[in-house]
Amino acid sequence: MTTSAAPALALSDDLDELVAEIEARFDDLTLSRVRAWKDAAPGRLAVGCLPVLAPREVLWAAGALPVFIRGAGDRIDTIRGDAFYQSYICHLPRSTLELGLLGHLDVLDGMIFPNTCDVIRNLSGVWQTTFPQHFVRFVDPPQTGERATAAAFLRADLDLLYRDLCARTGRAPEPAALAEASEAYAEAARAMAALAAARLAEPWNLPADEVYQLRRAGDAMPPRDFAALVTAYVTAARGRGRRAEDRIRVCLVGAFCEQPPVALLRAAERAGCYVVDDDLTLSHESSPTAPRRDGEPMASIVHAALTTPRACAVRYDEHGAAGATLVERVRACRADGVLLAAPSFCDPALLDQPRLTGALDAAGIPHTSFKYSESSGQFQSIREQAGTFADSVKLWGTA
Amino acid sequence: MQRLTCAGIDVGSSSIKVAIVDDDGASAQLRTTVVERIRRRDPRVVMRATVDSALADVQLDLGDLAYVASTGDGDVAEGVRTGHFYGMTCHARGGLFLEPRARAVLDVGALWARAIVVDDRSKVINSRMTSQCAAGTGQFIENIARYLGVRLDEVGPLSLTATRPEPVSGICAVLAETDVINMVSRGISTAEILRGIHESVAIRLAKLLRSAKATSPVLVTGGLASDAGLLRCLTERLNEGGRETELVTHRLSIHAGAIGAALWGAFRRRKLDAQRAAELSGPRPPVAPSP
């Protein structure tokens, strides 16, 4: 079954080979590796998950591989997908539809659409009519801070999802499988924590584009395999021995749904920044501490989902603390400034910006903002903006 | 204040410039400048050779430098540099070092031109840059010179001899090149063609300076700063209609980016040293957050 404790992945300890493996996985738009994983044992399912809050442990426990679908980036031309949306809608739903219409997502058995905005809600409806063969579920995370009610609401949603998926895979919906899945994702979470710590300590050895592609590779990997890949990369990258340069340390904020092209991350770093923290590839966060096997694992999964520390524009901010949380994060990362990067027409990210910039201004933290789309091909202006921002912070201490 | 020796490496599209300066915090002296054209060679090899040549001039090793700053296509200097500064920031600093009265710098390089408005601290106040079109840049003039069989150092003097410039397209480098071919076939003299090209480039650069709200004096830097024909046309354009703009250049204008990078490097080194000293005497930084 899918939840064996040992990773099946054979990994090199050579950094170049690891990076090549990571890039190949990142570039696998047709999900050939997911198909290989499914074909390796009968009864396996693969279920696509849109950003941000997809319950991976529940899918994995049911015998389904969660596969994050974050659009096609700049790697395909979106033609038919454009016909579904007006020009003032972001790119992610268009290219996701294009991937489906091209048959690149045929390996998936279903799609989970967590509520992030009206566009994604609409996309879940479009998906049901366009791909009737798929199991489609719209997951609406609680929008209340009242824990008991929120927990009961989410619990009911996830219990139903778990039962429905198990009915499709033929597995019994047992707590033990949820506990094992939680342990697997806890292992991945610990590896991610080590990756984040290494990047904070040595960003010159762990460039933003590599770290990003590594995390995207993990979007379509079994959790323990991903943990092994992350651990191998961190070890190899720390041994790279690059010299630290005099650059500013920045947090990149706002790119949690539609993803920027990899070249944009390179442009920002080449302009004189080290991206030490970001909210790219944000997803439902697993607790690095697995629940007790004799406890109630679904309750632990719900608790982790509700108490996750990462602030995000699509999460309800009951106490209006998003700005203060960002300031704390910037300070904890010893960042010199913030790049507010929002996809064009992304309502959650753009509506969040005023209160974030207000908090940054009040705290005296320099920031600059720009918009992008996943299909952007020109980065000169962003390089110029990031470059002048880095110079201003280095020389004058302000943006 | 301690004297710091720093280097600046300006990696341009067609050449690499290196400058080494001594900076004591209050004043700076230029020790040497070296320029080397890339000529289809590996830019990393050219960069290293240019740096070594500059170091040999001042009889120093790389390790003797307090800060090595890159600018332009700085990735080429990875492994050698301490840090990188954006081109505009460096031309602003280098420009004011060469001409302290300047309140605007016009950097005309091989692939684009930038109008930079600065204050007396070399801080960039405003700027404008040409779009992706190559018209109005050094590469364009270099291409035309090649078509006409004229050496680059002859372009300016020849243009100055023209009395009846032939207008060329100021919109597009490709159209302008077609214009030039037609002019050659019509028997227009080389000098008149070059003057027409300079007029065309000067119109674009004058618009750039006006849109940046540049104030006088304006120092021209970059590879075209030594083109006397272009400078005359640009002066005429800037002063037409009764306006008075002083356009100045310097024999080291092509090195402004490298000089600026070296000077900012010294500035930054002092700042980093001060920060480090403060950290050593202050509280420890906070611990990292969870991912």
Side-chain angles (χ1 to χ4, degrees):
Chain A
M1 190 42 237
T2 56
T3 51
S4 65
L9 200 62
L11 290 167
S12 164
D13 55 5
D14 178 78
L15 181 61
D16 290 341
E17 288 178 24
L18 281 169
V19 170
E21 170 75 18
I22 288 164
E23 287 174 350
R25 286 180 177 274
F26 172 72
D27 286 333
D28 186 13
L29 277 184
T30 57
L31 303 178
S32 61
R33 285 168 177 77
V34 174
R35 187 174 295 284
W37 177 83
K38 276 180 70 175
D39 290 347
R44 288 179 168 181
L45 299 184
V47 174
C49 303
L50 271 283
V52 173
L53 303 166
R56 294 173 302 184
E57 292 96 330
V58 176
L59 272 64
W60 187 242
L65 177 66
V67 178
F68 266 94
I69 305 297
R70 303 184 197 269
D74 55 354
R75 293 171 289 169
I76 61 167
D77 288 329
T78 301
I79 299 165
R80 284 178 288 176
D82 266 346
F84 288 80
Y85 288 97
Q86 300 92 330
S87 58
Y88 51 81
I89 300 296
C90 63
H91 275 248
L92 180 124
R94 306 157 190 275
S95 66
T96 300
L97 274 166
E98 190 80 21
L99 286 172
L101 293 166
L102 286 169
H104 290 0
L105 306 183
D106 285 354
V107 67
L108 299 180
D109 301 284
M111 288 283 268
I112 306 279
F113 294 87
N115 184 20
T116 54
C117 64
D118 291 345
V119 175
I120 298 301
R121 183 189 292 272
N122 170 275
L123 181 62
S124 72
V126 172
W127 207 270
Q128 287 180 61
T129 55
T130 311
F131 304 101
Q133 75 277 20
H134 275 174
F135 162 85
V136 173
R137 182 64 54 87
F138 182 78
V139 177
D140 201 355
Q143 295 293 315
T144 171
E146 201 275 289
R147 285 283 153 67
T149 313
F153 179 87
L154 185 58
R155 171 73 190 256
D157 233 12
L158 297 187
D159 276 339
L160 180 63
L161 178 67
Y162 188 36
R163 282 197 304 273
D164 286 354
L165 283 169
C166 283
R168 287 169 179 267
T169 56
R171 304 188 79 201
E174 291 171 349
L178 282 171
E180 163 56 26
S182 294
E183 280 179 13
Y185 277 100
E187 188 178 325
R190 287 192 293 272
M192 289 282 281
L195 174 69
R199 181 160 72 147
L200 280 173
E202 303 172 24
W204 46 92
N205 281 328
L206 292 90
D209 58 328
E210 271 181 24
V211 170
Y212 169 68
Q213 289 182 92
L214 169 62
R215 288 175 0 206
R216 287 294 299 271
D219 279 350
M221 289 178 75
R224 291 190 198 277
D225 283 355
F226 179 52
L229 180 61
V230 170
T231 303
Y233 171 77
V234 170
T235 304
R238 292 194 83 159
R240 179 180 249 153
R242 279 187 183 164
R243 217 174 61 164
E245 289 190 359
D246 177 26
R247 301 189 194 179
I248 62 164
R249 296 163 63 93
V250 295
C251 295
L252 184 80
V253 176
F256 48 83
C257 188
E258 180 179 322
Q259 302 290 287
V262 177
L264 186 148
L265 300 175
R266 288 194 193 109
E269 290 216 314
R270 285 177 181 171
C273 305
Y274 283 128
V275 179
V276 294
D277 184 63
D278 63 68
D279 57 7
L280 299 158
T281 70
L282 200 61
S283 55
H284 164 86
E285 288 182 33
S286 306
S287 167
T289 310
R292 285 162 51 99
R293 276 189 168 268
D294 58 354
E296 211 206 342
M298 186 63 95
S300 298
I301 291 168
V302 167
H303 179 73
L306 293 174
T307 58
T308 181
R310 186 92 205 197
C312 173
V314 297
R315 288 205 171 105
Y316 181 64
D317 181 20
E318 183 186 12
H319 303 293
T325 307
L326 176 59
V327 168
E328 278 174 28
R329 196 163 187 92
V330 170
R331 289 185 173 144
C333 293
R334 287 173 286 118
D336 302 296
V338 174
L339 301 181
L340 293 147
S344 296
F345 306 112
C346 176
D347 284 352
L350 291 167
L351 289 171
D352 222 27
Q353 273 194 10
R355 59 183 180 156
L356 297 183
T357 54
L360 293 171
D361 287 338
I365 296 170
H367 56 86
T368 189
S369 61
F370 53 82
K371 285 187 269 189
Y372 65 87
S373 79
E374 62 176 11
S375 58
S376 297
Q378 293 292 333
F379 306 103
Q380 178 57 32
S381 62
I382 285 172
R383 194 167 180 172
E384 185 175 335
Q385 193 174 343
T388 50
F389 177 69
D391 286 356
S392 292
V393 172
K394 277 202 286 193
L395 299 172
W396 312 109
T398 59
Chain B
M1 210 178 282
Q2 185 193 2
R3 192 185 72 173
L4 300 176
T5 303
C6 298
I9 306 171
D10 181 4
V11 183
S13 316
S14 64
S15 62
I16 293 174
K17 286 79 68 178
V18 174
I20 295 179
V21 300
D22 280 343
D23 184 303
D24 65 9
S27 63
Q29 282 83 43
L30 185 61
R31 298 273 303 271
T32 189
T33 56
V34 178
V35 59
E36 181 67 37
R37 286 179 68 78
I38 296 171
R39 296 186 202 281
R40 297 184 185 178
R41 290 176 289 170
D42 179 350
R44 288 178 192 277
V45 175
V46 179
M47 179 276 299
R48 193 59 218 231
T50 316
V51 169
D52 288 345
S53 170
L55 287 169
D57 277 358
V58 295
Q59 296 181 309
L60 289 175
D61 292 324
L62 199 58
D64 297 325
L65 300 172
Y67 198 108
V68 179
S70 68
T71 188
D73 188 9
D75 294 350
V76 169
E78 238 174 62
V80 173
R81 70 185 179 192
T82 315
H84 178 82
F85 296 101
Y86 194 62
M88 204 154 50
T89 316
C90 293
H91 277 266
R93 182 70 187 92
L96 254 70
F97 175 79
L98 295 175
E99 176 46 84
R101 295 182 306 123
R103 287 299 168 267
V105 175
L106 179 66
D107 165 30
V108 194
L111 289 184
W112 51 56
R114 282 184 285 232
I116 310 158
V117 181
V118 296
D119 67 11
D120 58 0
R121 299 171 299 163
S122 302
K123 189 172 182 180
V124 176
I125 305 300
N126 196 12
S127 68
R128 286 287 185 278
M129 189 169 168
T130 50
S131 60
Q132 290 169 21
C133 178
T137 66
Q139 188 65 56
F140 171 53
I141 291 181
E142 194 172 326
N143 288 349
I144 298 295
R146 196 167 59 247
Y147 296 151
L148 297 173
V150 174
R151 287 203 325 266
L152 269 183
D153 59 340
E154 296 173 331
V155 169
L158 261 175
S159 167
L160 289 174
T161 65
T163 52
R164 288 179 301 148
E166 191 70 15
V168 296
S169 169
I171 303 297
C172 168
V174 176
L175 293 180
E177 286 173 16
T178 308
D179 281 351
V180 169
I181 292 166
N182 289 336
M183 286 178 210
V184 171
S185 69
R186 282 162 44 214
I188 309 289
S189 75
T190 299
E192 310 297 353
I193 296 173
L194 288 173
R195 178 69 186 271
I197 293 290
H198 279 150
E199 290 285 0
S200 156
V201 173
I203 289 168
R204 294 175 72 93
L205 297 179
K207 275 184 189 163
L208 200 64
L209 282 164
R210 286 192 196 110
S211 67
K213 298 183 172 57
T215 51
S216 188
V218 177
L219 176 77
V220 184
T221 64
L224 285 188
S226 58
D227 186 329
L230 174 65
L231 295 179
R232 184 178 74 172
C233 292
L234 184 55
T235 302
E236 289 171 3
R237 286 294 171 185
L238 287 174
N239 291 313
E240 64 190 1
R243 283 186 285 252
E244 287 187 15
T245 303
E246 184 186 355
L247 191 71
V248 292
T249 186
H250 191 284
R251 66 180 176 81
L252 293 175
S253 273
I254 191 173
H255 295 286
I259 293 169
L263 292 169
W264 281 135
F267 180 88
R268 181 67 182 157
R269 169 53 61 207
R270 288 186 207 289
K271 200 166 179 176
L272 286 171
D273 289 346
Q275 279 173 3
R276 200 159 294 136
E279 278 171 17
L280 285 174
S281 60
R284 293 170 66 82
V287 293
S290 59

